[in-house]
């Protein structure tokens, strides 16, 4: 059970709230048991009820894919086409965005911009061929605060052509929730004050849809651990006590295997990290995994609990930690065009509520009220709209360096649709280990340079993945080519 004390609900209250409620009934459908090489899926967003705190806890009303939290794990094969039917059983429009997948613009799931929204009762078929193996995820791009915040998210794993040599391939989908004292999702989505600050950070974190207990490990095994942060706003900094995890991929893209700085894994909303860990603890031992991102609010996320079995092998597996590379086009840095983006807005400090800047004007035609954030002085708000004018048009086929400067007092995981970019520099210093990403976390005042080849035509969103920030203006559109290749 992991309850964080920055919201009015303690672990005991959460458990107590459940005591009088429904005796555990099976509300989850049995796992659909897709074959590993399945390329056809159907997922159905709708309402459901789940026991986030385990069988004895209260049932929480959620919005979920196939009634499951997280949504079904979709496993595709690199270079093999996928056909995914989405049948909307919500009472409002939705879409699905395949976060991090390099796909045709028409399959990107941005309502108004790349497709019409999927109306209640209607279906939409997504078809694409993932070029890259790795850890990705999917989520709605409509009414994002509520749809993501009420539970619509799932992992999308693209399998390597040749299996990677590990003993186990584990997935931890980490999700932050704000629950009230009845164990229900708290109302108040889109609170202006929060939107100008850190966004809607919750009070309960689940691992694969459950408040986590211990994770069973066997001494001597080599584990690939895929971490996915599907939270609306919570940034995590994970430490694996007594272990030395190696980062082998970031946002699905392989990097040079390396240990994180200070043993701390920073995982902002929408970010993924693949780890390889050689389980060197003693049989029967237990090691906590702590998230200490927020000052004074560190908590134990889970623990690695070793079985008493004899070690699987005496010394760590003698196989490379390096994942096979993906076919990413290498940007030509010397001849790249440059684009400078300034991230602006929000409150200027963590405490002064009254120095909020007067709201910046949202672009004409955009919905929502006053914007709180902007990029280069303009604010696109909401989820995506018909006729969103692009900020710039990037020459198709050219290499581009995008320099993002955080002029705010807040952290922003900045995400670009449709591309993986090379992370070149942070505050003037070259970023080591050949890192690619689709979402890069900027601390206050950070300047980060990324580069990519604009080989994929279309209108592509670039936004902060703290959902409140996106909704309140920290979003723009980059057009590649004529922007019209949407088939
Ligand atoms: Cu996962 Cu527009 O984002
Ligand atoms: Cu995306
Ligand atoms: Cu942000």
């Amino acid at each position: 059970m992991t309850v964080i004390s920055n919201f009015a609900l303690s672990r005991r209250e959460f458990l107590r709230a459940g005591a009088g409620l429904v005796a555990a009934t099976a509300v989850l459908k049995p796992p659909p048991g897709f074959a590993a090489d399945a390329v056809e899926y159907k997922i159905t967003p709708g309402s459901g009820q789940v026991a986030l705190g385990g069988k004895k806890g209260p049932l929480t009303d959620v919005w979920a894919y196939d009634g499951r939290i997280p949504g079904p794990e979709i496993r595709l094969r690199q270079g093999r086409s996928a056909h995914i039917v989405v049948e909307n059983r919500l009472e409002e429009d939705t879409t699905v965005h395949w976060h991090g997948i390099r796909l045709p613009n028409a399959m990107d799931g941005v309502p108004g911009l790349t497709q019409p929204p999927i109306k209640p009762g209607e279906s939409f078929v997504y078809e694409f061929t993932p070029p890259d193996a790795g850890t990705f995820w999917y989520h709605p791009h409509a009414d994002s605060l509520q749809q993501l915040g009420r539970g619509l998210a799932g992992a999308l794993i693209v399998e390597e052509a040749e299996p990677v040599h590990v003993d186990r391939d584990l997935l931890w989908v980490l999700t932050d929730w704000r629950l009230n004292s009845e164990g229900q999702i708290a109302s108040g989505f889109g609170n202006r004050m929060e939107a100008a600050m850190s966004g809607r950070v919750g009070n309960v974190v689940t691992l694969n849809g459950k408040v986590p207990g211990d994770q069973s490990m066997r001494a001597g095994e080599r584990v690939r651990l895929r971490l996915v942060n599907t939270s609306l706003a919570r940034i995590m900094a994970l430490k694996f006590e007594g272990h030395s995890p190696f980062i082998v991929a970031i946002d699905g893209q392989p990097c040079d295997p390396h240990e994180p700085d200070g043993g701390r894994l920073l995982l902002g909303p929408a970010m993924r990290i693949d780890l390889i860990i050689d389980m060197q603890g003693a049989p029967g031992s237990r090691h906590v995994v702590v998230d200490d991102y927020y000052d004074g609010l560190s908590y134990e996320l889970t623990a690695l609990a070793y079985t008493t079995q004899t070690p699987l092998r005496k010394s760590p597996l003698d196989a490379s930690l390096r994942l096979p590379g993906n076919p990413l086009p290498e940007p030509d840095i010397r001849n790249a065009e440059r684009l400078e983006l300034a991230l602006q807005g929000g409150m200027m400090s963590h405490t002064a509520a009254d120095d909020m800047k007067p709201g910046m004007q949202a672009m004409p035609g955009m919905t929502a009220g006053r914007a709180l954030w902007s990029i280069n002085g303009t604010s696109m708000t909401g989820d995506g709209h018909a006729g969103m004018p692009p900020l710039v048009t990037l020459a198709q086929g050219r290499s581009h360096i995008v320099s993002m400067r955080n002029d705010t007092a807040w952290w922003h995981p900045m995400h670009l649709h449709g591309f993986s970019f090379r992370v070149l520099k942070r505050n003037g210093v070259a970023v080591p280990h050949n890192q690619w990403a689709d979402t890069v976390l900027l601390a206050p005042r950070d300047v980060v340079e990324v580069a990519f080849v604009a080989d994929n035509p279309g209108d592509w969103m670039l936004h902060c993945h703290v959902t409140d920030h996106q909704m309140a203006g920290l979003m723009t559109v980059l057009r590649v080519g004529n922007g019209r290749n949407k088939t």
Side-chain angles (χ1 to χ4, degrees), residues 411-412 464 466 469 474:
W411 291 67
H412 304 291
C464 178
V466 169
H469 295 177
L474 206 46

Side-chain angles (χ1 to χ4, degrees), residues 352-365:
D354 46 13
D355 65 7
M356 193 179 344
K357 288 249 175 93
M360 282 141 288
Q361 202 52 51
M363 293 184 79

Side-chain angles (χ1 to χ4, degrees), residues 2 23 89 104 122 124 128 133 147 169-170 178 181 192 219 234 248 256 259 267 292 315 333 350 371 395 411 424:
T2 306
R89 285 198 209 136
E122 292 184 352
F124 187 89
F128 56 88
Q147 292 192 14
D169 186 335
L170 302 179
R178 183 180 291 179
S181 57
R192 301 281 294 167
R234 177 179 292 279
V248 297
D256 299 341
E259 292 185 79
L267 199 65
D292 69 355
S315 52
I333 302 302
H350 292 49
W411 291 67
L424 297 176

Side-chain angles (χ1 to χ4, degrees), residues 97-100 108 139 141 415-418 463 465:
H97 172 60
W98 312 96
H99 183 118
D108 197 42
H139 62 80
H141 223 284
H415 170 52
L416 175 62
H417 285 212
H463 62 84
H465 226 290

